[in-house]
Each structure stands twice: as structure tokens, then as C-alpha cells.
Amino acid sequence: QVQLVESGGGLVQPGGSLRLSCAASGFTSDYYAIGWFRRVPGKEREGVSCIKSNDGSTYYVEAVKGRFTIPRDNAENTVHLHMNSLKPEDAPVYYCAAAPYNGCSWVEELYDTWGQGTQVTVSS
């Protein structure tokens, strides 16, 4: 059974940086995708970034391009989300999710395993 555990959320000032981590376990296939999503209270969850397992291709929504990166640590089975130049609107709850196929999508229904979420607060 696939399990995902996020960590690394916290409080950061506008313009600051934060690193989120998603520790994954239980994969039985080499073909999957890991996505990062976020949700502001009262709004739908939105995709932020995604990485494919086989070739490491990465994808970002326009709002975070140039500021966020999604590196992976294969030895630790962990996918990170490096967030730079943070803005107050970057500050909802972040979730990582796993899709059982090797393709990235912003459609959350395609992801069948979710982490518990980690809170990010951007405030001075």
C-alpha cells in the first residue's frame, strides 16, 4: 500500500523560502507520478507541480514557474517542493499525491493516494 507523508511546512516572511518534503513508501511499480497540490480554505484544491517517475520530467503551474522546483531524492524515496520568493497567496495547505501511472496531471481525481497535508503561512 502506497503511503505519503509530508513535512516541512511552517511560517515564512514574504519573499522567503521553504522546503516541503513528501516521503513515499509502498510503491509496487516504477511508473507513477507525484504531484503537489494546495488548497486555500473555501476553495478547490489546485495543482502546483508534478514529477514523473521514469524520466524525472517536471511540470509547474504558471503561478509558481521560476519560483518553485520539485527535486526528488531517489535514495530516500522523497520528493521535495522548494518554494522561493513566497507570496501571501502561496500560503494554503499543501498536499502531495501519487498517481498510479506515469503522467502528470492537475486533475486530482487521477491521484489515488494523498498525504495528510502540511500548512504553509506567509506573513510578516
Side-chain angles (χ1 to χ4, degrees):
Q1 181 178 359
V2 176
Q3 291 187 323
L4 303 173
V5 179
E6 299 108 334
S7 61
L11 172 65
V12 63
Q13 292 186 344
S17 299
L18 207 59
R19 185 185 79 164
L20 306 182
S21 298
C22 176
S25 62
F27 284 107
T28 59
S29 169
D30 291 333
Y31 293 92
Y32 57 89
I34 297 290
W36 281 98
F37 290 75
R38 63 187 182 186
R39 178 162 57 194
V40 175
K43 294 188 177 181
E44 292 185 359
R45 195 154 42 188
E46 63 175 2
V48 176
S49 182
C50 181
I51 185 167
K52 293 166 59 176
S53 66
N54 67 330
D55 62 3
S57 297
T58 58
Y59 303 86
Y60 304 92
V61 293
E62 195 62 34
V64 306
K65 281 182 180 178
R67 299 189 298 123
F68 290 14
T69 60
I70 185 170
R72 65 180 178 181
D73 183 338
N74 289 333
E76 298 292 331
N77 290 326
T78 299
V79 174
H80 302 286
L81 186 67
H82 288 180
M83 306 185 293
N84 300 309
S85 302
L86 282 163
K87 307 174 183 179
E89 54 264 39
D90 292 321
V93 179
Y94 282 74
Y95 302 86
C96 67
Y101 64 95
N102 192 41
C104 280
S105 169
W106 307 133
V107 179
E108 61 178 280
E109 288 76 13
L110 297 179
Y111 294 78
D112 63 359
T113 303
W114 291 82
Q116 79 284 1
T118 185
Q119 177 76 48
V120 171
T121 302
V122 181
S123 175
S124 55

